[in-house]
Each structure stands twice: as C-alpha cells, then as structure tokens.
C-alpha cells in the first residue's frame, strides 16, 4: 500500500549532520644550542622561512575552521532555491527530555499489531522517510521519527510532512543523528526492534558547494547511530539508505550488487560507499544486523525540490528555461537516462527489508554470533531518457518547456543508471509496478494542489468537462500523497 499523505501545505525535514571536531594544536618549544663564535646566515634564513610558513599554515587552518559551515552560517539562498547549505533549521521545539517528552516518544513508538515492529525512522520528515513512516504506522507498527529539519531545501515542505505524520500519530523528534546523548536517550526510553536510517545529506552537485556537510551527515552521523545501536539492549536490526551512486563509473549494465563500487564519481557517492564499509565493520565486530538499500532516482508526491523532475515542473510552469544535459556517446551525443523509481515501490522495498531483517546478535556491545549483512538494489529496471521525462511533464502540465541542451559538466553526475533488482525480487519479494507516466501523473497532481491550487482546480474542471469527473487522470483520488 502506498502511503496516504494528505493534508494542507505545512512544513517538514531530512538528514542529520555531525558536529565538526576542532583539531587540537600542540606547540613544542625546542631550545637549540649554537656552537660559540660561529654564526651561519643560511640556517637563520631557513628558520625564518620555516617560521613564516608555519604561521601562514596555522592562519589558513584557523581560517578554514572559523569559516567552515559548522562555525559560521553560510549565506542563505533565495526562497525558491532548492540548494542550500546544511544547517539545522531553528525551532522552538528543538529541546528534548522531560516526562512529557518521554510520554510522547513512548506513545509514538508503541506497537499496535501482533508481532509488530517498533521502528526509529531517521530523516522522517524527508521525502522517503515520511512515506515510509506513514506506511509503517498504517499497518500498526510503532514509529518514532527523528529529523533535524535542515535547510538544504525548503523547510516548509519538511515541516508539512511532519504535520501530516503527527496527524497519523507519528511524533518526529527535532534533533540531529550526530547527537550521541539524544540517541542514547531514545534507545533508553524505547527498546526499538528496528531502525530505518534514511537521514543523510543528499544530492550529487551540492557537494561542490558544501563538501563537509556530506562527511558530517553521511559518515559521522552514521557512525553515531551505529554506536548508539551497538550499545543498546536489545540491539535493533538496521535498514539504511545507501545509493545507486556508489556504482560511479561502472559501465556494466544493469547495475548489480556484485559489480565493483570502488570508483565513485562524486563525493556524495564516496560517502555512501564509505557508509557501506563502516556498516560492515559494525556487523563484523558488534553483531549488528545491517541491510543497505541502494535507491535509484526516487520520485513522487512530497518529493525533493533539488531533483530534476521537481524543478523542471517548477520552471516549466514559470516559463523559465530548463537545462537538459547530454553526454558524449561514442561519435554522437546521447541524453542522460535515469532509472526513475516511484516512491510507493521504494517504500514497499523498505518495509520488506525491515520484515526480513534477521536479529542483531550483540549484547553489552559484544558480538555473540554472526548477524545478517545484506545489500539490495531498489530501482524500477526501466531507464528513461531525461528528454522523455520532459515530454511527459509538458503533456501533463499542458505547457511547452523552453529547453536548453548542454553537455554534461564534470559535477559528479553519471550518464545513466539501470538497476538489476533480481536479488531484491528473490529475497524481498520486491516487484516495482509503477511506470514513469503513471507516477508523474500523481506527482503533478500533488504539485499543482500544493503550490498552485487555482491551476489544479482549473485542470479538474477541464477534466470534468471531458467526462472524467473530478478524479485524477489515472483514476485515483486527487488528495495530496
């Protein structure tokens, strides 16, 4: 079942970043005795240069520390910009602890079905997180969300997702996954059976602007979570989001879990690959049950504004040109292709991974036996050229796009993605069923109702005049999802 996220526009979030660790400087003073009556200018010149460059190096290092995102706020982008620096959004509800807070945490995590799970969902106010949390809650699992509501993209959209989850009884704690004290408290208050770890710094191109945010969220944040989980009693089984980006420069298609992943094309991909290696360490040493899911270009209602289908829709409606990349393919140019995967299919894969995750085997921070360690592709298996995506959006929006076709820059993007999901099909029962045209219909309907309700109403009236009633063109209800 797809998550039924309905409601008026509000605000929500995704991803946690780890606080930067300030290096400690140790100064050692050495006293050198010079032979009497012998003064050499060369050593003096060398020492002067050494002192000069030492001061310069220390100055540059201090400047880097002071100007890094963890110490000084970066300039905020315009309200309609999908890319921003990774800073937690200030909120009066950011504090945690106390009897009332613990009561809300326990109530949200309480299981409501026989043999149900108690799941901590990190990045719960993010795109995949909110849909997954809603699906788990609907079937009776206990669900507690965690999110820091960072401003990588519009925080109002993130807060809106959190509002919808709250209406279904899911409480989203406003906090960071790198906050070890908060994580320890959550595992102390609730004996989670599972963790669905979706918090991360997403996006390939943003790494060119704020690289440290990827290290803080995707590496340090993951380690903080794994540390809390291995010390918990009982230890939870962990399912977490890796990425199809780990395949990097791999040219073997479709991408299989057995293909090499040691040639990342972006920092984002490198941090996700590092996460997979770190997860193996915690599985090997501490007996944590770990399942990595490599998502392939997820799209759908309540999606991320930094994704092409989302900002193409925005710019087409505004009459602004859209940039379509093409890649050199031998003696000719080829458009970029992506294995677009609808959100409902991704959620089904996440839930199946949780349901089939074996137990962690550690106790008291020590491994008592072998624990499951799994990796799966979750894609649609049907790559589509980006030009075809634009064609579909033009048809659904009834607006002609102004296209600007350019050669793909070296910004970390890859020319194509194509998932081999045979392993997930065999072991998880994963079978994606939503084609791009059907999924985009649902996304466009949600987008218009959320951002352009007047235009959405006109389209409904037009559809009604053609004998299709007030329901969506795909026959489904037009509520936001």
């Amino acid at each position: 079942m797809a998550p039924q996220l309905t409601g008026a526009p509000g605000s929500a979030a995704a991803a946690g970043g780890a606080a930067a660790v300030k290096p400690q400087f140790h100064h050692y003073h050495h006293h050198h005795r010079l032979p009497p009556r012998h003064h050499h200018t060369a050593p003096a010149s060398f020492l002067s240069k050494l002192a000069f460059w030492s001061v310069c190096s220390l100055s540059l290092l201090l400047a880097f520390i002071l100007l890094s995102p963890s110490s000084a706020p970066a300039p905020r982008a315009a309200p309609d910009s999908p890319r921003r620096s990774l800073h937690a959004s200030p909120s009066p509800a950011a504090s945690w602890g106390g009897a009332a807070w613990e009561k809300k945490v326990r109530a949200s995590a309480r299981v409501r079905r026989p043999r149900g799970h108690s799941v901590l969902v990190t990045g719960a106010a993010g795109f995949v997180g909110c849909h997954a949390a809603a699906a788990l809650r609907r079937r009776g699992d206990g669900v507690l969300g965690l999110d820091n509501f960072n401003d990588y993209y519009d925080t109002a959209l993130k807060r809106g997702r959190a509002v919808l989850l709250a209406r279904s009884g899911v409480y989203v704690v406003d906090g960071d996954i790198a906050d070890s004290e908060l994580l320890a408290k959550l595992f102390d208050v609730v004996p989670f059976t599972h963790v669905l770890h979706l918090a991360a710094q997403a996006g390939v191109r943003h790494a060119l602007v704020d690289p440290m945010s990827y290290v803080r969220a995707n590496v340090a944040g993951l380690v903080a979570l794994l540390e809390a989980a291995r010390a918990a009693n009982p230890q939870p089984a962990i399912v977490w989001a890796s990425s199809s980006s780990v395949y990097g420069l791999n040219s073997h298609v479709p991408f299989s879990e057995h293909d090499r992943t040691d040639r990342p094309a972006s920092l984002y991909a490198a941090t996700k690959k590092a996460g997979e290696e770190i997860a193996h360490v915690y599985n090997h040493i501490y007996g944590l049950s770990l399942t990595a899911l490599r998502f392939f270009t997820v799209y759908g209602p309540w999606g991320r504004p930094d994704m092409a289908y989302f900002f193409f829709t925005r710019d087409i409606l505004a009459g602004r040109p859209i940039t379509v990349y093409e890649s050199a393919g031998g003696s000719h140019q080829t458009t970029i292709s992506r294995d677009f995967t609808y959100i409902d299919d991704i959620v089904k894969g996440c839930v199946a991974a949780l349901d089939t995750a074996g137990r962690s085997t550690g106790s008291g921070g020590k491994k008592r036996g072998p624990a499951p360690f799994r990796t799966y592709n979750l894609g649609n298996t049907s790559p589509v050229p980006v030009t075809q995506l634009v064609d579909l959006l033009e048809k659904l929006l009834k607006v002609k796009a102004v296209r600007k076709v350019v050669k793909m820059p070296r910004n970390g993007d890859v020319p194509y993605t194509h998932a081999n999901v045979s392993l997930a099909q065999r072991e998880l029962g994963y079978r994606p069923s939503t084609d791009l045209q059907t999924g985009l219909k649902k996304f466009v309907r949600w987008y218009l109702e959320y951002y352009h309700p007047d235009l959405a109403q006109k389209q409904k009236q037009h559809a009604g005049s053609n004998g299709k009633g007030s329901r969506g063109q795909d026959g489904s209800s037009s509520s936001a999802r």
Side-chain angles (χ1 to χ4, degrees):
M1 287 290 294
Q4 305 294 327
L5 296 180
T6 61
S11 333
V21 179
K22 295 185 178 180
Q24 297 178 350
F25 299 93
H26 301 279
H27 302 276
Y28 299 96
H29 301 279
H30 302 281
H31 301 281
H32 303 277
R33 290 184 178 275
L34 295 176
R37 297 188 301 273
H38 294 282
H39 302 281
H40 301 283
T41 57
S45 176
F46 171 77
L47 291 175
S48 298
K49 291 180 179 180
L50 180 62
F52 172 79
W53 287 113
S54 297
V55 171
C56 289
S57 299
L58 287 173
S59 299
L60 288 173
L61 185 57
L62 287 172
F64 174 80
I65 294 171
L66 293 173
L67 295 177
S68 66
S70 61
S71 300
R76 293 180 63 87
D80 63 344
S81 172
R83 300 178 180 85
R84 300 182 179 183
S85 59
L86 183 67
H87 292 282
S89 174
S91 168
S95 60
W96 53 270
W101 178 85
E102 290 187 16
K103 183 178 180 180
K104 287 196 293 184
V105 167
R106 289 193 180 94
S108 183
R110 183 169 62 86
V111 179
R112 291 167 173 78
R113 69 180 179 95
R115 296 182 297 278
H117 307 320
S118 179
V119 188
L120 172 64
V121 179
T122 70
F127 174 33
V128 179
C130 73
H131 282 271
L136 291 169
R137 177 66 176 188
R138 272 200 317 277
R139 71 174 195 171
D141 290 321
V143 182
L144 179 69
L146 175 63
D147 209 295
N148 76 343
F149 297 89
N150 70 69
D151 63 358
Y152 169 60
Y153 60 80
D154 185 15
T155 57
L157 186 61
K158 299 177 179 185
R159 297 283 176 191
R161 299 185 190 122
V163 168
L164 296 182
L165 288 177
R167 291 175 183 171
S168 65
V170 176
Y171 175 46
V172 179
V173 175
D174 192 336
D176 200 296
I177 56 169
D179 187 338
S180 57
E181 292 185 3
L182 171 58
L183 290 175
K185 184 65 175 178
L186 291 176
F187 281 101
D188 181 57
V189 173
V190 178
F192 294 107
T193 60
H194 296 74
V195 174
L196 181 58
H197 177 48
L198 302 172
Q201 172 56 49
V204 169
R205 303 171 197 170
H206 185 66
L208 301 176
V209 179
D210 188 7
M212 290 306 298
S213 65
Y214 290 78
V215 178
R216 288 194 299 269
N218 302 353
V219 179
L222 174 62
V223 171
L225 178 68
L226 295 177
E227 278 292 301
R230 65 102 173 170
N233 189 17
Q235 287 183 341
I238 300 174
V239 175
W240 70 285
S242 182
S243 170
S244 62
S245 294
V246 300
Y247 291 108
L249 303 180
N250 173 54
S251 59
H252 179 267
V253 291
F255 298 164
S256 166
E257 293 89 346
H258 302 294
D259 290 339
R260 63 186 298 184
T261 55
D262 59 348
R263 296 182 296 169
S266 67
L267 180 61
Y268 168 69
T271 59
K272 284 298 185 178
K273 175 59 178 176
E276 292 187 358
E277 302 302 323
I278 291 169
H280 183 270
V281 171
Y282 278 79
N283 169 266
H284 174 67
I285 297 178
Y286 301 112
L288 284 177
S289 171
L290 283 150
T291 303
L293 302 178
R294 295 173 177 171
F295 296 159
F296 282 72
T297 316
V298 191
Y299 74 100
W302 292 95
R304 280 173 29 209
D306 66 322
M307 298 293 286
Y309 72 93
F310 200 114
F311 61 76
F312 278 177
T313 299
R314 179 194 65 206
D315 291 343
I316 290 172
L317 289 173
R320 293 193 290 261
I322 63 171
T323 299
V324 179
Y325 291 136
E326 63 181 9
S327 174
S331 60
H332 61 282
Q333 299 293 322
T334 58
T335 57
I336 307 301
S337 295
R338 290 289 180 267
D339 197 349
F340 294 100
T341 312
Y342 190 62
I343 182 62
D344 290 6
D345 292 324
I346 289 292
V347 168
K348 290 176 184 177
C350 290
V351 172
L354 289 169
D355 287 344
T356 58
R359 293 184 178 181
S360 293
T361 61
S363 176
K366 295 182 179 180
K367 183 177 181 178
R368 306 297 179 183
F373 183 77
R374 309 180 299 170
T375 301
Y376 299 106
N377 288 338
L378 294 186
N380 194 52
T381 75
S382 302
V384 176
V386 174
T387 51
Q388 185 176 334
L389 167 75
V390 177
D391 292 340
L392 290 171
L393 287 175
E394 288 178 329
K395 180 180 178 181
L396 294 168
L397 296 171
K398 299 178 175 59
V399 179
K400 191 70 175 177
V402 181
R403 307 188 193 200
K404 180 182 178 183
V405 181
V406 300
K407 185 177 180 180
M408 185 174 69
R410 291 183 178 273
N411 58 8
D413 277 324
V414 293
Y416 53 84
T417 59
H418 184 184
N420 178 339
V421 299
S422 58
L423 182 63
Q425 182 177 2
R426 184 168 62 252
E427 297 187 3
L428 303 181
Y430 174 74
R431 291 176 176 79
S433 59
T434 309
D435 61 76
L436 184 60
Q437 180 172 349
T438 301
L440 281 180
K441 282 182 181 180
K442 297 177 181 180
F443 166 73
V444 167
R445 184 175 66 245
W446 168 82
Y447 185 94
L448 294 178
E449 291 181 347
Y450 191 88
Y451 291 103
H452 302 280
D454 293 340
L455 182 57
Q457 186 61 33
K458 288 181 181 179
Q459 287 207 6
K460 285 182 182 180
Q461 293 173 352
H462 177 72
S465 66
N466 290 334
K468 295 182 180 180
S470 60
R471 300 176 69 83
Q473 294 184 24
D474 62 344
S476 60
S477 64
S478 59
S479 60
R481 301 175 61 186

